[in-house]
Each structure stands twice: as C-alpha cells, then as structure tokens.
Amino acid sequence: MGVAGTAPAFSAAASTATLCAAVGVLSPANLLYSGLIMFGATLAFRYLNKGDPNAGGSYTWVTRAFGPILGFFAGWSVLIATAVFMLSGTLPAATATLSLVAPQLTTSITAVTLLAAFWMIFISAVAVKGIKLASYLQVVLTGVEVALLLTIIIVAIVRYGGHPAHPFSLRWFSAIAFTPQLFATGALTAVFVFWGWDVALNLNEETKDAAETPGMAAVLSMVIVLLLFVGFAVASLLVLTDAEIQAAGTNIVQVVADRLFPRPWSYIAVISVMLSAVGTLEASILQFTRTMYAKSRGRALHRRYSRLHAKWQTPWVASSLLLALGLTLLFLSSFLPTVATIMRDSVNTIGFQAAFYYGMASFACAWNHRGTVRGKPLDFLLQVAWPVVCALFLLFVAIYSIPSFDLATNLVGLGGMVIGLVPLFLNRHQMAIAALDA
C-alpha cells in the first residue's frame, strides 16, 4: 500500500518533464536530496505511529501535540489532497486505457472524462467492499507496475549508457551544483512525487502489529520509490534530449519505452501507468475515508462519517462523499482545455497540501520526543533533528511556491484550506450546544 500510494509509474509520467524543465540534468539530484529530506517525515510518521497507532494519522498526532485547530487542518489537507487526486489519478488511467483500445480518442476530453468516471466508480466499489479485497488487488497491481518500471530503467541504462542523449556525469547527483532558488524550483514537484506512502499509516488499525508494521512499511516504501524515481530520471536523461523530454510531457514513460522496445512490447509503459494510476487511486480512497472516519470519531467532523457498513465494516458514508466529490471535480475539469492543464494544477495543489500536513506531523514528532532523546544521539537524529529539518524544508517549499500558483491552483489549494473553517467552527459550535444541553 505504501508503494502504491506514491504511484511510481504515474508520478514519473506526471512530473519528470516538469522537473527537467525546472532543473535540467540536476533532476536526479533534486529527487535524491528532496527524498532524503522528506525521509524525515517518514521517520516522524513511524515514531508517532509507534506511540499511538491511529487511523487518523497526522490529524490525530498533530491534534495531540498542538491542539484541535492545527490538528483539524492537518487532517483537512489530507482530505483536500486525496480529493484532488481523485481527479488527477483517474485521468492518466483513462488515457492509458484509451491508448490500448482506442488511441484516436486519447485527446478527447469527453472520452477521457467518461472512462475516468468508470475507473473512479469501480475502484470506489472495491474499496467499500473491504480492506482484504483492496489489499489483494493492490499486491497484484503494484507488483506488476514496479516490475515493468524497473525493466524500463535497466534496459535504458544498458542500451543508452554507451551513447546517451545527455552525457552521463556525476554532476547529475551533485548537491553543490544547486543554488537555493534552483533547488526550491523543483522541490514542490518532488514533494508531489513522494507523496502517498503515508496511506500505510492510515490503515494501522486494520493491520497486524499496528504499532510496528505500518511504520516499517512506510520506511521501506520510501526507500523503494526513491530508487525508482531517481532511476527513471537517469533513464530519461540517457534516452531523450531536452526537447524530446518537454515534447513528451506526461507521456514520457511511453516515449522512453518506444525507444527501448518495438511495438507492441513498448505498451508495457501504458500498462504500468494504468496500473499505477488505478492502484494509487485505491490507496487515496482508503486514505481519505480512514482520515475522515477518524476525524468523525474524534468529533472534529459530523458523526455520520464514522458509520461503518454493517457487512463490510468500511466507512461507506465517507467513501460515498469522496466519490461524489471526485465525479464533480471530473465534470468541472471537462471544461478545461487540455488534460495537461488539469494535471499541472493538480500536481501543484497536492504538493502544497502534502507539504503542510507532512510538515506539521514532523514538528509533532520532534515536539513529542524532545524530552526522551537526551544523551541518545541516534534517537535525537531520527526523532527530532531529521523531522525538524524536513518540516522546515516543507514550510519553505510551500511558502516559496504560492506566488507561482495560477488562479485555479490558488482556488483549490488555498481556497480549500479556507473552506475548512466552515466545518471546523460549525462542528465546534454544535459540540458547545450539546455540552450546554448536557
């Protein structure tokens, strides 16, 4: 689930061209060092979960560290990010499916929208049916996806290592080649790329050994996806020129595969992106519904969202709400000119939301463990220092990126956070009235 949450093939397809346009041949380095910094959030989630396994994840932990208001918005940002991903995750799945069965329709917004709605409804139904069915499906989807993406990376290095489009250099991995501004330019995209592994923590109450297994899963997932993302960035630079990378856009995995394999074998790229998008869509649904369930259980949202299905024991009301939101966003997106525009705005919105709640959870970990690590250098590094560095990095990225957002991104990213004030104060008002009546 942790690997599926980051959607390796989908994220590589959605972000590689954008990242290369921002930092050029330093893309592998930007991913590597952003990933290492982001690892602080993974460690924070692991140690927070170890002390308090809770399906609410960052919402619960930030609430207990810094109070209900910051905790509410940490959870609210998870809900916004996953709701937006209902849009950006289904579109690549639909486009990839059309590439296999009706290539002439891949540029049709109507066709893509209708097929995206089908994927959204189908995966929502699987998620409502229960975690066992969802997990079995996820094992198959993620296993095939990672194997196909790894095949593309290895073949690219073998075939183009001797005559690369970009001559290989250790500078691709150099930290000193960056200026702070250049590194920050690509950092928001990198935050989006690594976003999603924390779904493993939202499933902790449904996992054996809840205090240990989800946290270790998140750490291992982060290691795997870091290697995959850096590997694909290297493969792209070896195989394609700068102009070819930009022309490829969100179709870059297919373009690289076409250079490596004759058709129809190159369609492994289409299959990997389709499986990746479908898999991470399922993970996002699970993350949204478990976060909303926990917030409802903790009285931060209306109690209706904590209702479990009588037979399948899943939060079906939250699932139904997310499906309705996703279909609404999908309908509204059909009025935008291109799929590329939708994907760009989605990436920026999700990156901003992830930076907020990862950062808040990282601060919460450091705050909770500040008094228990004295005289323990390794514990201080893993539980306080690294999470704090990560949190400061994410805070900087979020603030730095706001002026570069267009109107759509600001409306969804920042406006979505402001809208959270409505359920926050409405629910607190209702709780105050209930307390007076009691």
Side-chain angles (χ1 to χ4, degrees), residues 374-433:
R374 292 172 184 169
K376 303 174 183 177
L378 182 60
D379 288 345
F380 175 77
L381 172 66
L382 299 180
Q383 299 175 37
V384 177
W386 205 338
V388 165
V389 169
C390 175
L392 292 174
F393 165 74
L394 292 170
L395 179 64
F396 166 73
V397 168
I399 294 174
Y400 179 86
S401 63
I402 290 174
S404 67
F405 288 164
D406 60 15
L407 178 60
T409 305
N410 277 317
L411 284 175
V412 178
L414 297 178
M417 294 291 280
V418 174
I419 290 173
L421 291 170
V422 176
L424 171 66
F425 289 114
L426 181 62
N427 205 59
R428 289 170 70 88
H429 177 67
Q430 291 174 341
M431 288 179 64
I433 292 176

Side-chain angles (χ1 to χ4, degrees), residues 152 159 232 239 252-262 265-270:
I152 291 172
R159 290 195 58 185
F232 186 77
V239 175
I252 191 169
V253 177
Q254 180 63 61
V255 173
V256 171
D258 281 335
R259 293 291 181 88
L260 303 176
F261 310 102
W265 298 107
S266 63
Y267 280 116
I268 66 170
V270 178

